[in-house]
Amino acid sequence: MLFVGVPLAAVLSLAFVAQVHRDGYRNTPILPGQKWHVHDPDRPYPHEVVPSAAPGGPPSDATVLFDGKDLSQWTQYAGGAESTPKWKVAKGCIEIGGGTGNLYTKEKFGDCQLHIEYQEDKNVKGSGQGRGNSGVFLMSKYEVQVLDSYRASTYADGQAGALYGQYPPLVNPMRPPGEWQAYDIIFTAPKFEGTKVVEPAYVTLFFNGVMVHNHQKLNGPSAHQAVLMQEVQPAEDHIYLQDHGPSKLKFRNIWIRRLKGYDQPEEAPK
Ligand code: MG
């Protein structure tokens, strides 16, 4: 039987595709570096994604990591073992742990689009790196710095929006403490072939809607007072929010999309 083991929906989808006229041309040049003709009718149609009704909200294909209710997508570690998160949820926000340790996603991620919002305390105290310090660690190694950098001074590659210890943000679009800040991060995981590093990690960052890193190549993991070069690591790892001691900070509206390449297998028609 031709279709043994193939889900019925897939069979119906293929049958539907075969019958439907698909716009395009096959007498056109092949695109350099691709297998497709220009305007190729056989090229898979992109999946349908429903955008959020509200700006900054999760689209339909996002994994919501925090929607104001609970920490069900998060975990902490105590003595090397997973433990119930000690960071608190109050008034629709996550409050930073205050010395209880970093807050990790339960799931692991590689290439991703991450949206996260944070608010520094209106009466933030301290100076330099002590001013509301936290961070978003991608694959547990690459920090996008979280800090109060509104007319507050620290070293440039350690201010809010910096790829910590490597690149300052291109500009500083930070709002005053007490107001919400938003990061939209596009992360490209490092690529390996066996024990060889083929590509390091890259980060694009929109900070309050302003692009502050444009597909910036990283040396390797983030480090304080040191340079670490890229080493082989697992293809995916946890994201964590940094507990940097006594900082007072809130997070809200956190969602993530796993990024896949062009020409994913087509969905059944809706
Ligand atoms: Mg930090």
Side-chain angles (χ1 to χ4, degrees), residues 11-31:
V11 174
L12 293 174
S13 165
L14 286 170
F16 180 86
V17 166
Q19 290 166 15
V20 170
H21 169 74
R22 291 168 70 103
D23 205 9
Y25 303 84
R26 294 191 183 90
N27 59 350
T28 46
I30 294 286
L31 287 158

Side-chain angles (χ1 to χ4, degrees), residues 214-236:
N214 183 10
H215 197 57
Q216 180 58 55
K217 178 159 72 172
L218 295 179
N219 304 320
S222 306
H224 180 56
Q225 295 186 301
V227 173
L228 300 181
M229 300 310 286
Q230 189 65 59
E231 290 184 352
V232 175
Q233 66 177 108
E236 295 185 338

Side-chain angles (χ1 to χ4, degrees), residues 129 132-137 143-147 158 164 242 244:
Q129 292 292 300
N133 196 331
S134 181
V136 180
F137 277 73
E143 182 182 18
V144 177
Q145 176 69 306
V146 167
L147 195 73
Y164 185 79
Q242 183 185 37
H244 199 278

Side-chain angles (χ1 to χ4, degrees), residues 71 74-78 80-88 97 99-106 241 243:
L71 294 175
W74 300 84
T75 191
Q76 281 186 271
Y77 292 90
E82 261 193 70
S83 65
T84 306
K86 292 190 172 55
W87 293 34
K88 296 276 183 292
T100 64
N102 304 319
L103 186 68
Y104 289 80
T105 56
K106 287 182 179 172
L241 305 181
D243 180 356

Side-chain angles (χ1 to χ4, degrees), residues 2-270:
L2 180 61
F3 294 124
V4 167
V6 178
L8 181 62
V11 174
L12 293 174
S13 165
L14 286 170
F16 180 86
V17 166
Q19 290 166 15
V20 170
H21 169 74
R22 291 168 70 103
D23 205 9
Y25 303 84
R26 294 191 183 90
N27 59 350
T28 46
I30 294 286
L31 287 158
Q34 304 191 51
K35 66 178 184 178
W36 308 105
H37 291 270
V38 179
H39 316 310
D40 200 319
D42 300 322
R43 190 164 195 168
Y45 289 175
H47 293 197
E48 182 178 299
V49 171
V50 181
S52 169
S60 60
D61 64 345
T63 298
V64 175
L65 295 174
F66 180 67
D67 64 359
K69 296 195 181 85
D70 58 52
L71 294 175
S72 58
Q73 298 287 328
W74 300 84
T75 191
Q76 281 186 271
Y77 292 90
E82 261 193 70
S83 65
T84 306
K86 292 190 172 55
W87 293 34
K88 296 276 183 292
V89 174
K91 296 181 182 171
C93 304
I94 299 174
E95 294 180 354
I96 197 167
T100 64
N102 304 319
L103 186 68
Y104 289 80
T105 56
K106 287 182 179 172
E107 278 187 58
K108 296 178 178 180
F109 300 93
D111 294 351
C112 64
Q113 173 186 356
L114 175 67
H115 177 91
I116 185 165
E117 298 173 22
Y118 68 93
Q119 186 188 85
E120 295 287 352
D121 189 73
K122 193 170 184 196
N123 300 307
V124 59
K125 302 270 192 310
S127 61
Q129 292 292 300
R131 204 168 164 79
N133 196 331
S134 181
V136 180
F137 277 73
L138 301 147
M139 287 181 79
S140 292
K141 290 185 185 302
Y142 313 98
E143 182 182 18
V144 177
Q145 176 69 306
V146 167
L147 195 73
D148 172 41
S149 295
Y150 181 76
R151 297 175 187 169
S153 176
T154 185
Y155 40 86
D157 66 11
Q159 70 178 70
L163 305 175
Y164 185 79
Q166 298 185 36
Y167 292 96
L170 291 164
V171 292
N172 180 5
M174 187 129 208
R175 298 187 175 112
E179 295 189 19
W180 285 99
Q181 323 283 342
Y183 285 172
D184 288 283
I185 301 168
I186 315 296
F187 177 69
T188 305
K191 302 291 183 293
F192 312 108
E193 282 175 7
T195 57
K196 185 162 161 263
V197 176
V198 178
E199 280 281 358
Y202 292 81
V203 174
T204 295
L205 173 60
F206 291 87
F207 183 171
N208 291 332
V210 178
M211 194 201 68
V212 298
H213 298 289
N214 183 10
H215 197 57
Q216 180 58 55
K217 178 159 72 172
L218 295 179
N219 304 320
S222 306
H224 180 56
Q225 295 186 301
V227 173
L228 300 181
M229 300 310 286
Q230 189 65 59
E231 290 184 352
V232 175
Q233 66 177 108
E236 295 185 338
D237 210 336
H238 304 280
I239 291 169
Y240 75 77
L241 305 181
Q242 183 185 37
D243 180 356
H244 199 278
S247 305
K248 282 177 79 177
L249 211 69
K250 295 173 189 168
F251 296 90
R252 72 175 186 188
N253 190 20
I254 310 173
W255 53 262
I256 191 164
R257 298 178 61 242
R258 293 179 185 279
L259 300 182
K260 298 169 184 166
Y262 293 108
D263 306 317
Q264 294 299 313
E266 214 162 284
E267 293 179 305
K270 292 192 168 76

